[in-house]
Structures are given as C-alpha cells and as structure tokens.
C-alpha cells in the first residue's frame, strides 16, 4: 500500500539479506488479498531478499518506520538495540512508527526522552493474551506482549479475538492482529500525507 501511494521502501532486518519468515504468517488463513499480492510479486520478493542490515538510530533519511508482525519480534526486535533506537529516534524526530501484531515488542525496551517507557500513557494494542492462548503458544513465547505493554503503563485496548483493531496515539500506530495491517497502513498514509 505504501508503494502504491508513491513511497519508496527501504526494507531492513536485524541481520540484513533475506529476513526469516514466521511460518504462521504464511498459513492460508493468515493471508489477505494484499499479502497474496505481495507474495506473488517477484520484484517485491527480490527487494525483500536484499534487506539492509537494520536501521541505526539515524532515521533522518526515512519518513516513517513501519514494522510487520509475526512471532519473531518477541525474540529479536524486543532485544534489538538498532530497532529500539529506530523507533525511539523516529518518534523523537516527529516521524510515525507503525507496528502490527507482535511487532510492538520493539517498544518493550524503548524509552522516551524523559527515561520513561515509551508506551507509558500512550494508547496501544498488540496480539493479545487470549490470541496467544488460542494459537497454543502461551508457554512458548518469552513473554506475553499484552502484559508487558500494560506493565509499562500503556493504555492497552483490544478488539475481538483475531479481529482487525488499530490504535493511533499521535505518531504511534499499533495494530492488534495481522488482519489489522491494511487499516494500520491507511492510518500511516494519513499521517504521512499530513506531514507533506
């Protein structure tokens, strides 16, 4: 959707190159028309295979920092200093950050300029405890994202189980589930259009 709207995309990942795919994200019931289109687009797949090695704290050349979901962020992005610096830097610089499903894990160790958790007092959502239970991974994941966001002072809300639900708090956009991706992208495009 961002590319269709005329935005340049510079994909990045922790290690660079082809990022790992959460196998659950490739399940037929997790796909939308947009994700099917992306998967079938040879140019987009080639672009994805050549991701830059993370984005450091200098996000001056970027207009926004969007993160897709999948369970992987609970392990890599939550602990990734570069990802944390990118989200902290973007919000401090007045640039939007959009995170879907488990991607709000990048916010777990992120801090505001005052030293408080970056989610403190902000409206947020993510994959919920109930959804984690439904997929049978409550005892597999390193932490329950909903719990941590609440513990850090986030004003957490949720829609129905596996339903689209998007929350915007200023420049921070979070989506609860993979089906929230499209609505979150629309919110991000609205914010970017307002910044032009």
């Amino acid at each position: 959707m961002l590319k269709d709207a005329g935005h340049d995309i510079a994909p990045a990942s922790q290690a660079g190159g082809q990022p790992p795919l959460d196998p659950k994200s490739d399940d037929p019931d997790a796909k939308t028309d947009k994700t099917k289109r992306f998967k079938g687009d040879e140019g987009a797949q080639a672009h994805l295979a050549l991701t830059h090695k993370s984005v450091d704290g200098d996000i001056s050349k970027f207009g926004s920092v969007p993160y897709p979901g999948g369970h992987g962020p609970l392990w890599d992005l939550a602990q990734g200093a570069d990802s944390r610096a990118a989200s902290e830097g973007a919000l401090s610089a007045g640039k939007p950050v959009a995170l879907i499903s488990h991607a709000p894990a990048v916010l777990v160790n992120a801090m505001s300029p005052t030293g408080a958790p970056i989610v403190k007092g902000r409206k947020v959502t993510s994959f919920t405890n109930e959804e984690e239970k439904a997929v049978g991974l409550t005892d597999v994941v390193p932490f329950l994202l909903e719990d941590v966001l609440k513990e850090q002072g986030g004003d957490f809300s949720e829609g129905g189980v596996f339903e689209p639900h998007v929350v915007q708090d200023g420049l921070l956009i979070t989506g609860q589930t993979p089906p929230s991706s499209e609505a979150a992208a629309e919110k991000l495009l609205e914010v970017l259009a307002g910044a032009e």
Side-chain angles (χ1 to χ4, degrees):
M1 288 177 67
L2 295 170
K3 188 172 181 180
D4 288 345
H7 294 278
D8 292 327
I9 308 297
S13 63
Q14 294 282 96
Q18 178 70 53
L21 173 69
D22 180 341
K24 294 270 188 199
S25 299
D26 221 17
D27 282 351
D29 62 344
K31 294 183 180 182
T32 66
D33 289 342
K34 297 256 190 294
T35 59
K36 289 175 188 173
R37 176 182 161 205
F38 176 73
K39 186 82 172 178
D41 184 327
E42 289 181 15
Q45 293 303 307
H47 197 178
L48 180 66
L50 301 172
T51 65
H52 301 281
K53 187 173 190 278
S54 290
V55 175
D56 60 25
D58 177 18
I59 56 100
S60 59
K61 58 189 170 220
F62 301 101
S64 68
V65 181
Y67 293 88
H71 278 83
L74 295 175
W75 283 270
D76 53 17
L77 294 183
Q79 302 303 321
D82 289 342
S83 291
R84 182 180 67 245
S87 61
E88 290 171 341
L91 292 171
S92 292
K95 297 181 181 192
V97 174
L99 309 108
I100 303 300
S101 186
H102 289 88
V106 77
L107 304 173
V108 165
N109 292 309
M111 297 292 164
S112 70
T114 65
I118 207 159
V119 298
K120 187 174 183 178
R122 289 182 188 259
K123 295 175 184 171
V124 293
T125 192
S126 72
F127 204 73
T128 66
N129 293 351
E130 194 174 352
E131 289 162 337
E132 211 66 80
K133 183 178 179 182
V135 297
L137 296 175
T138 299
D139 295 327
V140 175
V141 295
F143 57 89
L144 293 173
L145 186 52
E146 174 184 344
D147 286 350
V148 174
L149 293 173
K150 287 177 176 177
E151 287 164 9
Q152 293 188 346
D155 180 3
F156 192 91
S157 68
E158 59 186 275
V161 175
F162 300 117
E163 293 298 319
H165 178 63
V166 175
V167 174
Q168 180 180 357
D169 190 314
L171 297 171
L172 182 62
I173 300 163
T174 50
Q176 177 180 325
T177 57
S180 306
S181 300
E182 201 168 322
E186 288 169 359
K187 288 262 186 216
L188 178 57
L189 287 169
E190 288 171 16
V191 173
L192 289 170
E196 293 173 350

